[in-house]
Amino acid sequence: MTTPPALLIAGHGTRDDAGAEAFRDFVRQLGARHPELPVAGGFIELSPPPLGEAVTELVEQGVRRFAAVPLMLVSAGHAKGDIPAALAREKERHPGISYTYGRPLGPHPALLNVLERRLDEALGSAGRTPGDRADVTVLLVGRGSTDPDANAEVHKAARLLWEGRGYAGVETAFVSLAAPDVPSGLDRCVRLGARRIVVLPYFLFTGILPDRVRHQTEGWAAAHPEVEVLSADVIGPEPELLDLVWERYEEAVKGDLRMNCDSCVYRIALPGFEDKVGMPQQPHFHPDDDHHHGHGHGHHHGAHSHAH
C-alpha cells in the first residue's frame, strides 16, 4: 500500500503572538486527528516557523510527497503567488520531493455556519434570541487586498451568509488596502436604515487586524450612541475548520479541484434551499430564444447544466 502524502499547512503569518500560537496549535490538533500521516505547518511571513522550515521538517521524517493547503479564506496574493513561489523554491532545495497544492477555504458552507454561530453568540450576549434577526444588519469585515478578485470573494461570502438566514442585510467592509473601511461600512449600514448592527470579522484566528476591526467598531459606536453596535468573534479553531482543511487536503491529493461546488444548492443544503439537493438537472431554454440559430442561449446552457 502506498503511503498517503503528508499534509503541509501554509499560513499567512501575524505579528500577534496569540494569533501565531493559534495557528501552531491548530496544526498540532490536525496532526493529532490524523496520526496516520505527517502534518506540518509554516508561515509565509511575520512569524515562525517559516514555510521552508516546515518542509524541511517533513523531509527529515522521510516525506517525499505532500499536499499543501493554504489556511486562508480568500485567494489573494499569498495563495496565488507567494505560497506557490515558496513551494517551488523548496522543490529546488530538496530534489526528489513532489507536491500538490490545494485551494483556499472560503466561502464554504461549514464556515458560514460558524459565522452564523458567532452572530448568534454576539446577539445572545446582548440579550437577543437567535431567531430575532429581521432587524439585524451584519457588517462582514475582510482583511482587504489589492487583488479585486480576493475582495470579491468576501462579497460572495456576505451574500451566501445573507441567503436564507433572515438577517435584514449583510454588508461588506475591509480592514486594510480596500474600501470601504470599517467606519465607512458602518455609515453605509446606517444609510440603508440599520438600527442594530453586528460587526463580524471574516478571519480565522485572533490577530492584529481582527483587533483593529474591534477597536474601530468601538470608536464608531461611541460616536453614534443612537445605533446599537455589537462585535462578533473570529471563526477560531472549530471542528468545522479542521474538517474543511482535511477536505481540501483530500481534494488536492485526488486532483479533484472543483469549480463553485462548495456552495452549489444542488450539492449541499443551504438555508432555505434544502429541497434542491440532488435535484436532477435539465437543460433549460429561455422563451425568447430563437432555436433556429445555432448560437441560441439555450444550447450553451444545455452544455453546462448543473449536473456536476
Side-chain angles (χ1 to χ4, degrees), residues 112 115-116 119 133-142 153-173 185 188-189 192 194 196-202:
L112 296 172
L115 291 171
E116 182 179 9
L119 290 169
R133 296 175 173 180
D135 64 347
V136 171
T137 300
V138 178
L139 183 64
L140 184 71
V141 182
E153 288 272 312
V154 182
H155 279 262
K156 180 174 180 178
R159 178 70 199 197
L160 285 166
L161 185 63
W162 178 80
E163 288 273 0
R165 285 186 175 84
Y167 302 109
V170 181
E171 293 298 309
T172 310
R188 177 181 162 81
C189 290
L192 290 168
R196 178 169 286 108
I197 303 168
V198 184
V199 178
L200 176 63
Y202 193 46

Side-chain angles (χ1 to χ4, degrees), residues 100-116:
T100 51
Y101 185 41
R103 60 188 174 126
L105 305 172
H108 193 283
L111 297 186
L112 296 172
N113 291 340
V114 179
L115 291 171
E116 182 179 9

Side-chain angles (χ1 to χ4, degrees), residues 84-295:
L87 293 174
R89 191 176 61 235
E90 292 310 309
K91 202 167 185 316
E92 285 177 17
R93 283 180 49 198
H94 304 282
I97 65 168
S98 65
Y99 60 87
T100 51
Y101 185 41
R103 60 188 174 126
L105 305 172
H108 193 283
L111 297 186
L112 296 172
N113 291 340
V114 179
L115 291 171
E116 182 179 9
R117 205 152 70 226
R118 295 290 174 256
L119 290 169
D120 282 346
E121 288 162 4
L123 290 166
S125 68
R128 317 256 310 163
T129 63
D132 205 4
R133 296 175 173 180
D135 64 347
V136 171
T137 300
V138 178
L139 183 64
L140 184 71
V141 182
R143 174 181 292 275
S145 170
T146 52
D147 182 340
D149 179 40
N151 297 330
E153 288 272 312
V154 182
H155 279 262
K156 180 174 180 178
R159 178 70 199 197
L160 285 166
L161 185 63
W162 178 80
E163 288 273 0
R165 285 186 175 84
Y167 302 109
V170 181
E171 293 298 309
T172 310
F174 300 95
V175 74
S176 66
L177 299 174
D181 60 13
V182 174
S184 304
L186 287 162
D187 289 343
R188 177 181 162 81
C189 290
V190 170
R191 284 203 300 276
L192 290 168
R195 285 285 164 267
R196 178 169 286 108
I197 303 168
V198 184
V199 178
L200 176 63
Y202 193 46
F203 286 84
L204 292 173
F205 301 129
T206 53
I208 285 166
L209 294 180
D211 287 349
R212 191 180 297 163
V213 174
R214 191 173 282 263
H215 293 147
Q216 290 178 356
T217 300
E218 287 165 357
W220 188 93
H224 299 80
E226 72 286 3
V227 184
E228 185 185 349
V229 184
L230 303 169
S231 285
D233 284 332
V234 294
I235 290 169
E238 295 291 291
E240 288 95 335
L241 185 58
L242 288 154
D243 290 343
L244 177 54
V245 171
W246 185 251
E247 192 177 308
R248 292 287 183 258
Y249 164 81
E250 290 192 312
E251 282 176 7
V253 169
K254 294 173 188 158
D256 174 27
L257 296 181
R258 300 173 177 185
M259 39 178 249
N260 61 338
C261 298
D262 283 342
S263 47
C264 172
V265 287
Y266 302 107
R267 274 187 177 268
I268 189 148
L270 296 179
F273 299 89
E274 292 85 355
D275 59 324
K276 288 190 181 290
V277 176
M279 189 183 280
Q281 294 303 297
Q282 303 299 330
H284 63 279
F285 301 96
H286 297 291
D288 56 348
D289 279 348
D290 179 355
H291 300 312
H292 301 298
H293 293 87
H295 57 263

